[in-house]
Amino acid sequence: MAKQLNLLPTGQVITTALHTEMQRSYLEYAMSVIVGRALPDVRDGLKPVHRRILYAMHELGLTPDRPYRKCARVVGDVLGKYHPHGDQAVYDALVRLVQDFSSRYPLLAGHGNFGSVDNDPPAAMRYTETRLSPVSHEGMLAEIGAETVEFAGNFDNSQQEPTVLPAQLPFLLLNGCAGIAVGMATNIPPHNLGDVVEGLIALIDNPNLPDDKLFELIPGPDFPTGGEIIGDAGVREAYTTGKGSIILRGVAQVEEILQGRGSKRRTAIVVTELPYQVNKAGWIEKVAELVNQARLQGIADLRDESDREGMRVVIELKRDANPQEVLQHLYHQTALQINFGAILLALVDGQPRQLTLRQLLQEFLSFREQTLSRRYTHELEKAQSRRDLVEGLLVALSNLDEVIEILRNAPDGGTAKINLQNQLNLSEAQADAILSMPMRRLTGLEKQNLQTEFEELNQQITTLQILLNDRRELLKSLKKDFRSLKRKYSDARRTKLGVANPEPAKAQGRKSSEKDSNDDENSQIQEPQSQVVAEEVVLEFTHRGYVRRLGASSTKRSRSDNGTSDNDFITQTAATDTEKELLVLTSGGKVYPVKVGDIPPTTGRSARGTPLITLLTNTAQEAQEALVNRFFLPQDPEGTQIILVTKQGRIKRLALTELTSLTRRGITILKLKDDDELLLTQFTTKTQELVLASSGGRLLKFTANDEQLPIMGRTAMGLQALRLRNQEVMIGCVTLEAEEDVLLVTQLGYAKRLQVGSLRLGNRGDIGTQSFKFANKTDALAGMVLVIPGSEVAVGTNHQRVVRVPVEAVSNLGRDSVGQSILQLNRDEKIISVTNAG
């Protein structure tokens, strides 16, 4: 039997309790996983593997202006230099950085198959190619060579790698992060770049910014796959405590679709957006499984019509199915609605901490200020070093004869260097620069260039010293960088902000109105000091957008003698005073205040009045937006709301308290898509019925209460009002006090009055009721107005013609009627507007 070796000499055995050794070893392992793998750093928002991928690609020169390189090459560099783990783990991390449905602002650009929302696997790394995206190249790596961050040795100390990247934007919030460590996890949702930058700038301007103001600037996450956030309670909890449950819902709408090749139509629910990280194929399979198990009723067919243009899952319903009821079952039984558990956990100084939104932003600002200081210090040292060399060269050129004499008489270079230092009072570096200067630098042009460079370096040094010595100037530079990045990379929000409980919005409105009332009280206190006497005036508004300012004693004009021409006429008259403000709404979703005293008085020579658009700011005039409405705020705006309807069928109810205390620049009250515009407005003072009309002749009636149409903030885009078909637009919106009639007019001159009571009461977002049968297939509804007994309607055409028609001349007909012809149109002439003429 072999003799056992004694590997531990006498006295080298250390007695340790098993539970103590297990505890120590487990804690070391846990901290290694927490710090080295699973959790992101609060400064650059990256885990070590992601940081190493980006830095390796930076070293390879894979910038956005260079060709794509194989992912296998990138993975090989990362494994060999910085991350000695499995190649598949590195490739999976790289793939996620490319996927635009996983990252809100992808840090890598990809060429090839990198997977899909159906959970399809990406192609092998030998097939796919990648390079840095512009936002990561500029916002994450641009300052890596300016000594802005610390470097440390890699796993075998053969390379240096950054401990953190000099991020110029808080990518931890922009792209979010998910990770499971030992005993803790993080799940940070993505956010919109524009919102986050505005929040950062606000915190720089006011570090004690109230949470409510910060949450107005950053109202909620913005997921790359869109969706809609229901309620704000979960968002506020996550932002204030670092942990909360956010209700996220996919976007679904009810449509009428053709069934087969025939003309039969069937109601269907069309899903165009799914919640973040929901597998579309898996979700469709789950819905089919529930239908087969009879746990989900009312569904006749299910198919995926998604393509390169976007997602579209069609759920055809049975004829007796209620679309809203089926939709609610989909929300409750499938992943069409999920709870996103937000946990704002990140590494701060190497330690895991659960942070609030404010703390996350402040930690990043502190890091960004530190990196800027290091960058400016590095640039200052380089500029000072270069200035010393240029100064030495200028000294040599100014004493050229003496320099030549020293060089001619010196036996070697060392002696010449010493003689130059002693006789011309130069430093060692300056003497070396003179000795290495080529002969072409002796020309007069080169001397002028050196003098210009010397002056520029002096100016640069002065600027850098100001930035380093004055924190306010440093913060100004920081804000300038933020705004520049926002202009380049910001985009519109994809995730809509819904409201489940309107009470918070009401409370917020009360706070706003209380603040406004306080401002009014202050202004009333200051009024006696201003010695301004308000003048009573009468304003007259015309159909073509002119306004007249008349004295209160002016005689009232008749309709026929209105002092206008070119088919213009008065549509509204208002008695007011010169201290009041007129609010003007434009098609771009903005409101501008116009002081009545700034409206020029109307005299006999200018009987036509002043174009209202010319009284707005230059920015508003340059935008060339149409005027949608103008009005004065009521004495008590608390109980009044304004309904806003866009051309593409979005609707929003906004409290008038949002429109108090405006500046001349105006405010945006409705966010619009690029191809959309504000088209219609209505006021409501209580729970009224609202009727919407589309160009296809469909009318939708519903109650404008908090359930159907909740009050929303100024930054919201609104909700879907009426489901529009292709080529359809909104053309009318009226509020009803009782059982009233509406007047419908088509583009080809047909009209009829319709009793609103004949319309069934629906829900917002429905397809509505077909209420006009067109005599010509090319015809479409041009306008809808409320019938005012004894009044007239003004019908305008694309040939600049306006005809006034008494409402009594139009017959009251049913929904299936084609109406009656009220206007003889010329060739190529169409009706484009219908308004009440008083």
Side-chain angles (χ1 to χ4, degrees):
M1 181 178 177
K3 186 177 180 181
Q4 186 176 0
L5 293 175
N6 184 10
L7 298 177
L8 291 174
T10 306
Q12 296 297 316
V13 177
I14 301 173
T15 304
T16 304
L18 181 60
H19 71 278
T20 303
E21 180 61 24
M22 288 291 293
Q23 184 180 25
R24 183 185 63 81
S25 300
Y26 187 76
L27 284 175
E28 289 179 358
Y29 160 74
M31 286 305 298
S32 173
V33 172
I34 289 170
V35 177
R37 291 192 197 176
L39 298 185
D41 194 294
V42 73
R43 297 170 291 180
D44 60 4
L46 300 175
K47 298 178 184 179
V49 63
H50 299 134
R51 188 178 301 118
R52 289 163 177 167
I53 290 172
L54 293 175
Y55 184 64
M57 293 180 66
H58 171 74
E59 284 192 313
L60 286 171
L62 301 184
T63 55
D65 57 341
R66 301 285 296 277
Y68 291 93
R69 296 287 288 276
K70 289 291 185 182
C71 291
R73 171 65 190 277
V74 176
V75 172
D77 264 40
V78 174
L79 292 178
K81 293 181 177 180
Y82 309 115
H83 200 72
H85 298 279
D87 60 343
Q88 193 59 43
V90 175
Y91 184 55
D92 288 344
L94 184 151
V95 165
R96 187 173 175 82
L97 293 177
V98 176
Q99 293 172 336
D100 56 2
F101 54 87
S102 296
S103 299
R104 184 65 178 82
Y105 300 94
L107 299 180
L108 300 182
H111 193 191
N113 173 22
F114 285 89
S116 70
V117 291
D118 287 330
N119 206 26
D120 297 322
M125 68 180 78
R126 62 182 178 272
Y127 299 120
T128 56
E129 299 176 344
T130 187
R131 66 184 178 192
L132 293 170
S133 67
V135 68
S136 66
H137 176 63
E138 181 176 358
M140 189 75 82
L141 293 157
E143 300 176 348
I144 193 71
E147 297 184 3
T148 49
V149 293
E150 297 290 343
F151 280 72
N154 65 342
F155 59 90
D156 61 358
N157 230 15
S158 62
Q159 300 274 345
Q160 291 288 306
E161 63 174 317
T163 58
V164 65
L165 294 183
Q168 300 183 45
L169 290 168
F171 285 96
L172 182 62
L173 281 173
L174 298 184
N175 283 331
C177 187
I180 300 175
V182 179
M184 60 185 66
T186 184
N187 198 24
I188 302 173
H191 289 75
N192 183 268
L193 191 149
D195 293 347
V196 173
V197 167
E198 289 301 320
L200 288 170
I201 293 175
L203 282 179
I204 292 174
D205 293 335
N206 181 14
N208 298 319
L209 186 74
D211 283 346
D212 288 341
K213 296 293 184 183
L214 181 61
F215 297 161
E216 287 180 8
L217 298 171
I218 308 178
D222 187 23
F223 297 97
T225 53
E228 181 177 7
I229 295 174
I230 306 301
D232 61 352
V235 175
R236 294 182 69 89
E237 182 183 6
Y239 284 173
T240 53
T241 67
K243 191 174 183 179
S245 181
I246 301 172
I247 302 176
L248 184 61
R249 180 181 288 179
V251 174
Q253 51 194 352
V254 179
E255 293 184 4
E256 288 272 334
I257 62 173
L258 288 173
Q259 184 180 9
R261 296 183 178 180
S263 59
K264 294 183 178 179
R265 293 183 174 272
R266 172 169 283 183
T267 303
I269 295 174
V270 180
V271 178
T272 55
E273 296 175 13
L274 284 175
Y276 185 50
Q277 293 179 332
V278 170
N279 178 351
K280 175 163 65 70
W283 176 75
I284 293 174
E285 185 178 347
K286 177 66 175 178
V287 173
E289 180 183 344
L290 292 174
V291 172
N292 292 333
Q293 294 175 355
R295 293 168 57 188
L296 194 57
Q297 303 290 335
I299 295 178
D301 191 17
L302 173 65
R303 60 181 179 274
D304 186 1
E305 297 181 355
S306 305
D307 54 19
R308 294 180 182 272
E309 300 298 324
M311 182 183 300
R312 180 179 171 87
V313 179
V314 179
I315 303 173
E316 287 192 16
L317 303 182
K318 296 178 179 178
R319 297 192 179 279
D320 57 346
N322 185 334
Q324 295 302 324
E325 184 178 344
V326 175
L327 194 54
Q328 289 301 320
H329 283 297
L330 287 171
Y331 289 145
H332 290 102
Q333 298 185 51
T334 73
L336 189 57
Q337 176 175 309
I338 64 170
N339 289 338
F340 184 91
I343 307 173
L344 310 185
L345 186 74
L347 295 176
V348 181
D349 297 328
Q351 300 293 325
R353 279 181 55 193
Q354 184 172 303
L355 306 168
T356 64
L357 175 66
R358 177 186 298 273
Q359 290 171 336
L360 273 173
L361 295 174
Q362 288 174 336
E363 288 289 344
F364 174 76
L365 285 176
S366 176
F367 167 68
R368 186 68 191 132
E369 188 176 348
Q370 177 186 353
T371 54
L372 270 184
S373 297
R374 293 185 61 153
R375 170 188 154 191
Y376 291 148
T377 301
H378 174 71
E379 291 177 356
L380 179 61
E381 291 173 354
K382 285 179 60 178
Q384 288 175 335
S385 176
R386 177 60 185 169
R387 183 186 64 176
D388 290 343
L389 296 180
V390 173
E391 185 178 15
L393 295 176
L394 289 173
V395 169
L397 291 176
S398 300
N399 301 274
L400 188 57
D401 293 338
E402 188 175 350
V403 171
I404 294 174
E405 188 66 26
I406 291 172
L407 295 176
R408 181 184 293 121
N409 297 327
D412 52 41
T415 304
K417 177 180 175 180
I418 294 173
N419 290 339
L420 285 172
Q421 289 180 250
N422 294 335
Q423 296 184 30
L424 297 179
N425 194 23
L426 300 174
S427 66
E428 182 178 354
Q430 289 174 328
D432 285 334
I434 293 172
L435 290 173
S436 60
M437 182 173 61
M439 295 295 289
R440 69 172 180 270
R441 303 299 294 272
L442 300 178
T443 62
L445 180 60
E446 286 295 327
K447 182 178 180 180
Q448 181 61 39
N449 291 340
L450 287 173
Q451 185 64 41
T452 302
E453 183 182 0
F454 182 75
E455 293 172 358
E456 291 175 351
L457 288 169
N458 275 330
Q459 185 177 359
Q460 180 185 357
I461 289 169
T462 301
T463 303
L464 291 172
Q465 287 174 339
I466 292 174
L467 289 171
L468 289 170
N469 296 328
D470 190 342
R471 185 169 181 267
R472 288 178 299 179
E473 293 298 323
L474 182 69
L475 293 179
K476 284 183 182 178
S477 175
L478 178 56
K479 291 195 293 184
K480 183 179 178 182
D481 292 344
F482 282 151
R483 291 191 176 101
S484 174
L485 291 169
K486 178 184 175 181
R487 284 194 297 270
K488 291 181 182 179
Y489 303 112
S490 179
D491 56 4
R493 285 186 61 91
R494 299 179 187 176
T495 301
K496 305 174 185 67
L497 298 173
V499 178
N501 182 6
E503 291 302 320
K506 287 185 177 180
Q508 185 179 357
R510 283 195 293 270
K511 291 178 183 177
S512 174
S513 62
E514 288 170 7
K515 179 176 181 246
D516 295 335
S517 63
N518 291 338
D519 293 341
D520 291 340
E521 291 174 6
N522 294 337
S523 63
Q524 290 171 3
I525 292 173
Q526 296 171 0
E527 240 180 43
Q529 302 174 3
S530 62
Q531 300 296 324
V532 175
V533 179
E535 177 188 351
E536 298 290 334
V537 296
V538 174
L539 296 184
E540 294 181 341
F541 302 95
T542 74
H543 175 68
R544 294 192 178 276
Y546 288 84
V547 58
R548 302 172 178 177
R549 174 183 156 188
L550 307 171
S553 60
S554 299
T555 56
K556 188 173 181 180
R557 290 183 170 90
S558 66
R559 289 182 186 174
S560 59
D561 182 21
N562 57 21
T564 60
S565 58
D566 296 333
N567 293 321
D568 203 2
F569 54 89
I570 296 170
T571 59
Q572 181 186 357
T573 302
T576 181
D577 61 66
T578 53
E579 288 302 297
K580 294 288 180 62
E581 279 189 340
L582 175 72
L583 300 186
V584 180
L585 275 68
T586 68
S587 57
K590 296 200 70 173
V591 177
Y592 297 94
V594 175
K595 194 172 182 180
V596 174
D598 294 337
I599 301 175
T602 301
T603 62
R605 294 181 181 178
S606 58
R608 190 174 187 176
T610 304
L612 190 55
I613 189 69
T614 62
L615 301 175
L616 306 185
T617 61
N618 292 333
T619 305
Q621 297 179 45
E622 292 169 1
Q624 297 182 346
E625 296 173 354
L627 299 182
V628 176
N629 198 357
R630 64 267 185 276
F631 59 91
F632 293 96
L633 280 179
Q635 292 292 332
D636 180 21
E638 177 77 21
T640 307
Q641 300 93 41
I642 184 171
I643 293 174
L644 310 171
V645 182
T646 74
K647 190 175 183 179
Q648 297 298 329
R650 309 293 294 183
I651 187 170
K652 182 169 81 169
R653 188 160 63 116
L654 181 75
L656 286 185
T657 53
E658 298 274 6
L659 306 183
T660 57
S661 303
L662 302 185
T663 63
R664 181 167 168 75
R665 293 182 304 173
I667 59 171
T668 299
I669 61 171
L670 180 65
K671 283 192 174 181
L672 296 167
K673 295 182 180 179
D674 293 339
D675 57 344
D676 204 0
E677 63 183 46
L678 179 60
L679 187 68
L680 306 162
T681 63
Q682 281 289 337
F683 295 99
T684 178
T685 56
K686 57 183 179 180
T687 302
Q688 295 178 304
E689 287 184 353
L690 188 69
V691 177
L692 302 173
S694 74
S695 58
R698 290 184 293 117
L699 269 60
L700 173 63
K701 181 176 71 171
F702 64 92
T703 305
N705 53 21
D706 291 337
E707 180 181 355
Q708 292 283 347
L709 193 60
I711 297 176
M712 307 181 79
R714 290 192 292 106
T715 58
M717 291 184 64
L719 306 169
Q720 190 69 37
L722 175 65
R723 301 301 177 190
L724 299 176
R725 300 191 179 104
N726 291 336
Q727 308 300 323
E728 247 189 332
V729 295
M730 297 293 295
I731 56 91
C733 172
V734 297
T735 54
L736 306 172
E737 292 288 349
E739 289 296 329
E740 298 176 288
D741 294 352
V742 292
L743 188 143
L744 306 173
V745 183
T746 74
Q747 295 178 357
L748 297 184
Y750 291 87
K752 69 178 178 182
R753 291 168 59 179
L754 180 69
Q755 293 181 351
V756 178
S758 65
L759 301 174
R760 65 177 180 86
L761 190 64
N763 296 312
R764 179 193 55 76
D766 287 353
I767 60 174
T769 304
Q770 189 66 36
S771 302
F772 210 108
K773 185 177 181 181
F774 299 110
N776 192 314
K777 291 184 179 181
T778 62
D779 201 2
L781 210 57
M784 174 185 70
V785 295
L786 193 65
V787 172
I788 302 173
S791 67
E792 295 179 338
V793 292
V795 179
T797 74
N798 57 351
H799 287 189
Q800 304 297 316
R801 189 159 63 107
V802 177
V803 179
R804 297 166 64 150
V805 179
V807 294
E808 278 77 9
V810 182
S811 301
N812 201 319
L813 302 172
R815 290 188 286 110
D816 296 332
S817 170
V818 297
Q820 64 185 90
S821 178
I822 60 170
L823 184 62
Q824 187 67 33
L825 298 175
N826 300 321
R827 185 177 181 181
D828 298 329
E829 188 178 18
K830 287 186 177 182
I831 293 174
I832 58 174
S833 67
V834 182
T835 56
N836 280 312

